């Protein structure tokens, strides 16, 4: 099996993860408790891409708008479409990241890390430039760590006997519709 076949075969895990994450974020009003870390905010916003079918019957549904306007995306889920890409706003501690996750490869796109330095702290000296680069790398690592922790939460439930109950809750949430 080559890499493309493997990605195609396993893409459902990323799609299930994004759908579960959307459910978890709405379950507690955008707050998710990371075990051992505390509460973080995860908000689905502005853009979602849903897909269904393969080959000639492949369909895409792009939904853009504010969180409250993602009703079309929820309707797409009820019709059997899979969440393939979503734009998220993640807030952890006092920092906020905007990023897009592509489900099939769990690839991050358009990552916008928080700005942690004020204009007075920025300069053109070598030390200032190095500081900004290291700060940005640290912020990107924190975003990756947070999504990894969320994915780990999902996998622990997904491979456990609790998955059937969790799946029932996700399905009920999908059919309930937006708040």
């Amino acid at each position: 099996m080559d890499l493309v076949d493997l990605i195609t075969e396993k893409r459902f895990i990323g799609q299930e993860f994004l759908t579960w994450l959307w459910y978890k974020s709405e379950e507690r009003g955008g707050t998710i408790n990371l075990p051992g870390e505390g509460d973080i905010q995860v908000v689905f916003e502005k853009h979602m891409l849903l897909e269904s079918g393969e080959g000639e019957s492949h369909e895409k549904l792009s939904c853009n708008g504010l969180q409250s306007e993602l009703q079309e995306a929820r309707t797409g889920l009820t019709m059997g479409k899979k969440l393939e890409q979503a734009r998220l706003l993640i807030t952890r501690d006092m920092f906020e990241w905007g990023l897009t996750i592509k489900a099939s490869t769990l690839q991050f796109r358009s990552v916008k890390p928080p700005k942690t330095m004020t204009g007075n702290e920025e300069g053109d000296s070598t030390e200032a430039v190095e500081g900004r680069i290291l700060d940005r790398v640290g912020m990107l690592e924190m975003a990756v760590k947070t999504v990894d922790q969320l994915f780990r939460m999902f996998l622990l439930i997904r491979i456990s006997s609790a998955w059937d109950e969790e799946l029932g809750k996700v399905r009920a949430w999908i059919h309930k519709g937006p708040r």
Side-chain angles (χ1 to χ4, degrees):
M1 178 178 290
D2 68 13
L3 182 60
V4 174
D5 292 338
L6 188 62
I7 289 171
T8 302
E9 181 183 297
K10 305 297 182 197
R11 71 187 300 171
F12 75 93
I13 292 291
Q15 293 169 335
E16 287 183 1
F17 168 63
L18 279 185
T19 304
W20 173 83
L21 189 59
W22 187 12
Y23 157 72
K24 291 303 275 186
S25 76
E26 288 200 2
E27 184 181 41
R28 294 181 54 215
T31 302
I32 296 176
N33 185 287
L34 280 179
E37 300 285 336
D39 287 343
I40 65 168
Q41 292 285 119
V42 178
V43 177
F44 282 70
E45 62 170 17
K46 294 182 183 176
H47 174 76
M48 285 189 177
L49 178 67
L50 291 93
E51 294 181 348
S52 66
E54 293 180 18
E56 291 182 16
S57 64
H58 184 251
E59 293 180 4
K60 290 183 178 182
L61 172 64
S62 180
C63 303
N64 297 303
L66 299 174
Q67 182 186 17
S68 62
E69 299 171 356
L70 293 173
Q71 184 174 359
E72 190 173 354
R74 183 86 62 92
T75 300
L77 291 176
T78 63
M79 298 171 61
K81 296 190 182 326
K82 308 293 184 193
L83 188 52
E84 178 53 30
Q85 185 172 295
R87 180 82 186 155
L88 307 177
L89 185 66
I90 297 175
T91 306
R92 182 175 185 164
D93 301 324
M94 59 183 183
F95 303 112
E96 185 176 281
W97 295 263
L99 58 104
T100 299
I101 297 179
K102 183 176 170 113
S104 59
T105 57
L106 292 176
Q107 177 184 14
F108 293 10
R109 292 182 173 175
S110 305
V111 178
K112 183 180 177 192
K115 189 167 185 159
T116 58
M117 295 182 180
T118 64
N120 294 338
E121 296 171 313
E122 296 181 14
D124 293 331
S125 69
T126 304
E127 293 82 17
V129 171
E130 288 175 359
R132 284 195 301 271
I133 291 171
L134 290 174
D135 183 64
R136 186 171 173 89
V137 168
M139 288 292 117
L140 293 173
E141 286 179 347
M142 188 180 280
V144 170
K145 177 184 173 187
T146 302
V147 174
D148 283 352
Q149 289 173 309
L150 291 167
F151 189 62
R152 185 175 199 279
M153 278 178 60
F154 165 73
L155 287 179
L156 289 174
I157 293 172
R158 181 65 175 88
I159 62 172
S160 75
S161 60
W163 177 244
D164 287 339
E165 182 180 344
E166 187 81 352
L167 183 59
K169 290 177 185 176
V170 172
R171 285 181 176 152
W173 166 78
I174 289 170
H175 292 287
K176 178 180 163 191
R179 296 180 194 184

